[in-house]
Amino acid sequence: MEVKVEVAFLRAEATMAFPRGRLLAVRGGRLHVLAPDGWDVAGGPRPEGARPISREEAVEWCRFEGFDEEVLDAVPTPG
């Protein structure tokens, strides 16, 4: 039986390079950041100022930034 590990989404604070912030995801205790080619593991703790967002907000962020919302289901599972 496969156990589904939940994903929590966050949005980092806006910067000059990323005016709408970066999309982050935590799955199995591991932090990931969405890059142009998919999810990358982010080293270190959660960025200060990153705030939790709902999946619906993450979908909106993806639409605005030009990502297919299916990327939200592709956050790697640790291990």
Side-chain angles (χ1 to χ4, degrees), residues 11-79:
R11 192 166 81 194
E13 289 184 320
T15 64
M16 295 233 356
F18 300 98
R20 290 185 47 87
R22 302 284 304 263
L23 186 61
L24 308 169
V26 177
R27 178 177 251 173
R30 182 169 281 171
L31 180 67
H32 297 83
V33 60
L34 185 57
D37 61 346
W39 294 101
D40 286 336
V41 174
R46 179 176 112 177
E48 194 171 317
R51 68 174 186 83
I53 61 173
S54 68
R55 183 179 175 93
E56 291 76 26
E57 289 172 301
V59 167
E60 285 300 314
W61 186 95
C62 286
R63 287 183 186 145
F64 188 85
E65 295 293 333
F67 286 92
D68 289 329
E69 68 181 84
E70 289 80 27
V71 73
L72 301 177
D73 296 322
V75 178
T77 302

